[in-house]
Amino acid sequence: MHPSAEAIEASVAAAYSAGLQQQGGANADYIPYLAKVPSQLFGIAVMTVDSALFTAGDSGFAFAIESISKLFTLALVTELIGPRAVRDKIGASATGLPFNSVMALELYKGKPLSPLVNAGAIATASLVPGADANACWAQILDVQSRFVGHPLALCDELNESEQSTNSHNRAIGWLLQSAGTCYSDPMRSVDIYTRQCSTLITSADLAAAGATLATGGVNPLSRQRVVGAANVPHLLAEMTMEGLYTSSGDWAYEVGLPAKSGVGGGVLAVAPGKLAIAAFAPPLDDAGNSVRGQFAVAHIAKALGLNLYAVPES
Ligand code: DON
C-alpha cells in the first residue's frame, strides 16, 4: 500500500523535530571544503513515484554529492556493459572494510567486490568510454543530471579541494592497475571519479534521483527513462550490500531499505514502487555516514512501514 500524503507529511515533520535532538558526529575533514560546511544544516526530502515532494529544514541547500555519485556512475556503466559484466569485473558483495580500504583489494586479489567503495567506484569510472577525461566526465554529469531531472554542475572549489587531497585514491588507482582491474588509464579514472564526487546536490534533488529508482528507472519530474527497469534491482542490491559501508548490514537489519550515503552528509533510501527518502546533515559517524541523515531516513521509513523484509499480517 502506498503511504498517504498526510502520512508522509507527518513522518517528515516528526523526523525533522526528532532529528534536531540527535547530536554527535563530525564533518569530514580530510577534504578541506567539507570541513567548513556549517554543521547544523539539516534537510529532509521525500519524493513519491508520482513526483509529490515533501520537505523539511534545509532541503534546498546544495551539498557535496560525494559517494552518492558512485550509484549514478554505476547505473551508467551497468547500462553500457550489462549487470553480468559489472559483477564479473567489479563485484556485488560487501568488503566488510572501510570505504577507502586498500586491504580489501589485497584480500580479494585486486577485485574491488563492490562498485560502491572507492576502489570499485574508480574501477567503475574506468569503464566509462571516452577519448579523454572530459568526454567521460560529460557522460557522468549527464547521468547525474538525468537522475535528478535538471542539469547539475561541478563545483570548482570542491573539485580543487578533492583533487589536491586525493593521493590515497590515486594509490588505489595504481593498485587496481597492477591487479588488472582498472579498465582504462588509472589516473584518468581517479580524475573522473574525483570530479563525479564534486557536484552539488540538494536533498530535494537526491529524493528525485532516488524516486527515479523507485519508479523502475524513469525520472518522475522529467518522465524520461534514465536506467533500464531490468537493471534497477541490481543497483538496489548493490546499495543493500555496501551503500552505507560497514553499517550496511546493521541498516538492513534495522531499516530494511537499500540506501546510499556520502561524506558530504547526504543519505538516500529507496522504497521500490513507492518513494525515496533523502536527508542531509554534515556530521558523520565513524563509518562515514551522516548521523542525523541516517536517523531521519530511518525514522520516516519506520513511520511509513517501508521495511522490505516486513511480512504483511494476514
Ligand atoms: O573518495 C573520497 O574519499 C570522497 N570523494 C568520497 C567518499 C565518500 O563519500 C564516502 N562516504 N561516505
Side-chain angles (χ1 to χ4, degrees):
M1 218 179 65
H2 285 246
S4 68
E6 293 73 25
I8 299 173
E9 200 172 322
S11 71
V12 168
Y16 183 72
S17 53
L20 286 174
Q21 312 308 315
Q22 299 300 308
Q23 307 297 340
N27 284 34
D29 59 4
Y30 70 100
I31 298 166
Y33 178 100
L34 300 180
K36 59 180 201 187
V37 177
S39 302
Q40 77 285 359
L41 287 165
F42 180 32
I44 302 178
V46 170
M47 187 176 282
T48 68
V49 290
D50 304 319
S51 77
L53 178 67
F54 303 83
T55 61
D58 302 305
S59 60
F61 182 86
F63 59 88
I65 189 171
E66 296 298 342
S67 277
I68 301 169
S69 67
K70 291 168 175 159
L71 178 60
F72 308 133
T73 307
L74 172 63
L76 171 66
V77 167
T78 306
E79 290 290 298
L80 290 171
I81 69 171
R84 182 170 299 180
V86 167
R87 189 167 61 174
D88 289 349
K89 289 177 182 297
I90 302 167
S93 299
T95 65
L97 288 161
F99 65 80
N100 57 0
S101 176
V102 292
M103 208 205 307
L105 282 175
E106 289 293 312
L107 287 173
Y108 304 110
K109 300 191 173 69
K111 187 170 180 180
L113 289 199
S114 170
L116 300 184
V117 294
N118 289 13
I122 293 165
T124 307
S126 80
L127 288 161
V128 176
D132 55 23
N134 285 342
C136 299
W137 164 239
Q139 292 179 74
I140 292 175
L141 185 60
D142 177 64
V143 78
Q144 290 186 2
S145 300
R146 286 188 290 126
F147 259 101
V148 305
H150 69 87
L152 291 177
L154 185 82
C155 171
D156 289 328
E157 185 191 348
L158 173 57
N159 186 44
E160 276 156 31
S161 191
E162 299 250 353
Q163 298 277 5
S164 58
T165 55
N166 70 352
S167 41
H168 187 89
N169 285 338
R170 280 187 267 145
I172 289 175
W174 285 117
L175 286 174
L176 290 168
Q177 172 78 353
S178 75
T181 47
C182 198
Y183 303 101
S184 55
D185 178 79
M187 291 307 97
R188 178 176 107 174
S189 306
V190 174
D191 174 15
I192 58 175
Y193 164 74
T194 306
R195 293 195 220 183
Q196 78 177 36
C197 292
S198 303
T199 50
L200 299 182
I201 189 168
T202 68
S203 305
D205 289 338
L206 196 51
T212 300
L213 292 173
T215 64
V218 175
N219 180 284
L221 299 169
S222 69
R223 299 187 190 275
Q224 287 187 351
R225 179 160 291 284
V226 180
V227 52
N231 286 335
V232 171
H234 299 298
L235 301 175
L236 298 177
E238 298 275 18
M239 292 166 77
T240 301
M241 294 310 296
E242 190 63 273
L244 295 189
Y245 306 113
T246 47
S247 302
S248 302
D250 287 309
W251 179 266
Y253 195 90
E254 293 291 341
V255 183
L257 288 179
K260 185 72 205 85
S261 67
V263 290
V267 180
L268 170 68
V270 177
K274 295 178 179 164
L275 52 78
I277 313 167
F280 155 68
L284 310 177
D285 64 16
D286 289 343
N289 301 315
S290 167
V291 173
R292 276 187 178 162
Q294 291 175 95
F295 176 88
V297 172
H299 203 276
I300 293 167
K302 190 166 184 200
L304 298 178
L306 296 174
N307 188 326
L308 287 180
Y309 309 124
V311 181
E313 284 176 36
S314 54

